[in-house]
């Protein structure tokens, strides 16, 4: 009824009741056919051909516009529903992640592996990597999952280069792949890994995990064995390098951003102080790591390692 009423007002013969100028448009909606028309009922009815043509050329643009509105509204509703759907999936995924439901999380997200949403994709990369890390995962499956995770992270980054999490997980996944591609690839990838961790920190300075991972990067190259350093110098003019002091700075920065956020950060603070021969501060952070509530299998492993290192202190004293 609303469409019929609007169409009635739009038609030339309807305007005979309220004569006055109006803008005519072509069928395609082109501007430039600007003419002043004053049509009276007798003029229209006196020439049926003119009436039909006038009706056709006047109705089509409006009908086209109405159709456009209908399709636009439908597209908007569809897009809105899609956004709501993605948000629901992300909420469910984050709940499963926080609950430690690794396998359920992976099963949920793999249903959307063809998605073009960066938030879904980096979470899928993380879930794939977490499945690969499970003790029950075979070596063959682990390798497949590691490369699968890298592909998801890469796609997430392609979809949204402003996502700090996409940069972070892309760097993590490249690091994992290095275990299967030899020392040369691993060292070459180190530059890329550092670049993406730094970008993640730049995009989100409050993400303690990205800062922690940058600390691990520094710690790794600070303690690189001499033979690996020699290989690195043979392969690259300026191989990646760092210091324990630099690593310590990142670990402390992560702790300042989010205190006690991760047992491994506490452990590495203790281990880094050991490398720097500061036993007092090493013992302080190792004790915190040992007493950290164990929520995951990794937390338990870190508790054990911290306790062993502390035992080594007492044996020497």
């Amino acid at each position: 009824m609303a469409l019929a009423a609007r169409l009635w007002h739009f038609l030339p013969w309807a305007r005979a009741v309220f004569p006055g100028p109006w803008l005519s448009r072509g069928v395609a909606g082109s501007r430039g056919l600007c003419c002043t028309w004053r049509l009276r009922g007798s003029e229209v009815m006196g020439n049926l051909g003119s009436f039909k043509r006038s009706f056709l050329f006047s109705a089509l643009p409006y009908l086209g516009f109405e159709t456009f509105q209908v399709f636009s509204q439908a597209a908007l509703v569809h897009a809105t529903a899609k956004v709501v759907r993605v948000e629901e999936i992300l909420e469910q995924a984050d709940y499963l992640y926080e609950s430690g439901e690794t396998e359920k999380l992976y099963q949920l997200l793999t249903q959307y592996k063809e998605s073009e949403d960066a938030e879904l994709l980096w979470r899928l990369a993380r879930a794939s990597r977490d499945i690969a890390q499970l003790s029950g995962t075979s070596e063959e499956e682990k390798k497949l999952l590691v490369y699968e995770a890298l592909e998801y992270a890469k796609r997430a980054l392609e979809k949204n280069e402003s996502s700090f999490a996409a940069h972070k997980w892309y760097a993590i996944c490249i690091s994992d792949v290095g275990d299967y591609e030899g020392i040369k690839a691993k060292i070459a990838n180190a530059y890329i890994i550092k670049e993406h961790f730094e970008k993640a920190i730049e995009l989100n300075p409050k993400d303690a995990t990205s800062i922690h991972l940058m600390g691990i990067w520094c710690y790794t190259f600070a303690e690189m064995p001499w033979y690996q350093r020699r290989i690195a110098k043979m392969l690259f003019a300026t191989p990646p390098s760092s210091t324990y002091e630099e690593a310590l700075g990142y670990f402390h920065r992560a702790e300042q951003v989010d205190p006690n956020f991760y047992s491994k950060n506490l452990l590495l603070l203790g281990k880094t102080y050991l490398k720097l021969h500061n036993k007092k501060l090493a013992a302080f952070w190792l004790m915190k790591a040992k007493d950290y509530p164990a929520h995951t299998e990794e937390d338990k492993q870190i508790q054990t390692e911290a306790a062993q290192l502390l035992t080594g202190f007492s044996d020497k004293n």
Side-chain angles (χ1 to χ4, degrees):
M1 291 297 291
L3 175 57
R6 292 180 188 176
L7 188 58
W8 185 87
H9 284 295
F10 189 84
L11 297 178
W13 54 269
R15 292 180 177 272
V17 181
F18 306 101
W22 58 288
L23 180 64
S24 174
R25 291 176 184 264
V27 177
S30 58
R31 300 181 182 182
L33 297 178
C34 300
C35 304
T36 301
W37 294 80
R38 291 181 182 272
L39 297 179
R40 299 183 184 278
S42 59
E43 293 171 358
V44 173
M45 297 308 292
N47 187 338
L48 287 175
S50 297
F51 166 74
K52 290 175 181 177
R53 284 193 300 274
S54 180
F55 179 89
L56 179 64
F57 277 77
S58 301
L60 281 176
Y62 193 79
L63 286 170
F65 177 70
E66 285 287 324
T67 303
F68 170 76
Q69 281 189 316
V70 169
F71 279 112
S72 295
Q73 289 169 359
L76 180 61
V77 169
H78 177 72
T80 303
K82 187 176 180 181
V83 169
V84 171
R85 176 64 174 153
V86 169
E87 288 178 352
E88 288 175 353
I89 296 164
L90 295 180
E91 285 180 10
Q92 190 176 354
D94 290 344
Y95 173 78
L96 290 172
Y97 181 75
E98 293 298 328
S99 303
E101 297 284 357
T102 306
E103 293 176 343
K104 287 182 181 178
L105 175 60
Y106 179 72
Q107 288 168 6
L108 169 69
L109 292 177
T110 47
Q111 297 177 65
Y112 308 100
K113 62 183 179 181
E114 301 303 325
S115 172
E116 295 188 359
D117 188 279
E119 293 298 302
L120 270 172
L121 289 168
W122 73 253
R123 283 172 171 82
L124 182 51
R126 180 180 66 184
S128 302
R129 183 182 185 272
D130 286 348
I131 289 286
Q133 300 297 320
L134 293 178
S135 57
T137 304
S138 69
E139 283 302 314
E140 185 178 351
E141 288 176 317
K142 182 177 180 179
K143 184 177 180 179
L144 289 172
L145 285 163
V146 162
Y147 278 94
E148 184 181 306
L150 177 60
E151 185 58 32
Y152 294 138
K154 182 181 178 182
R155 282 173 51 203
L157 198 56
E158 288 170 352
K159 298 301 176 186
N160 186 5
E161 290 188 354
S162 297
S163 168
F164 82 93
H167 281 280
K168 175 170 70 178
W169 286 99
Y170 182 62
I172 292 169
C173 292
I174 289 177
S175 179
D176 290 343
V177 165
D179 293 337
Y180 298 98
E181 298 191 345
I183 187 67
K184 183 177 180 180
K186 198 163 189 174
I187 294 171
N189 286 341
Y191 296 100
I192 302 169
I193 292 165
K194 184 181 182 183
E195 176 188 337
H196 286 283
F197 281 149
E198 289 175 337
K199 187 63 178 178
I201 295 168
E202 178 189 328
L203 290 167
N204 186 1
K206 296 298 181 181
D207 181 50
T209 309
S210 297
I211 301 168
H212 164 80
L213 290 168
M214 192 64 239
I216 289 181
W217 189 96
C218 295
Y219 186 93
T220 301
F221 284 99
E223 72 166 1
M224 181 185 281
W226 66 268
Y227 63 90
Q228 287 188 1
R229 289 184 190 279
R230 178 174 290 182
I231 294 171
K233 286 179 180 178
M234 290 171 62
L235 296 173
F236 303 96
T238 53
S241 62
S242 189
T243 63
Y244 290 118
E245 287 82 1
E246 193 174 2
L248 190 66
Y250 280 110
F251 294 141
H252 271 300
R253 182 177 166 187
E255 206 60 33
Q256 289 165 1
V257 167
D258 191 1
N260 296 316
F261 75 102
Y262 187 26
S263 59
K264 192 169 185 177
N265 198 64
L266 302 174
L267 176 69
L268 283 168
L269 275 162
K271 291 177 73 172
T272 308
Y273 273 117
L274 272 179
K275 295 289 185 181
L276 294 170
H277 310 292
N278 189 328
K279 291 184 179 181
K280 184 177 179 180
L281 285 175
F284 172 80
W285 290 105
L286 290 172
M287 187 64 72
K288 286 176 72 74
K290 184 180 77 70
D291 294 339
Y292 190 90
H295 298 295
T296 65
E297 188 176 321
E298 183 184 38
D299 289 335
K300 293 175 183 176
Q301 292 170 355
I302 285 167
Q303 282 183 339
T304 302
E305 185 176 353
Q308 289 172 346
L309 288 169
L310 286 166
T311 302
F313 274 35
S314 58
D315 289 345
K316 290 177 181 178
N317 294 335

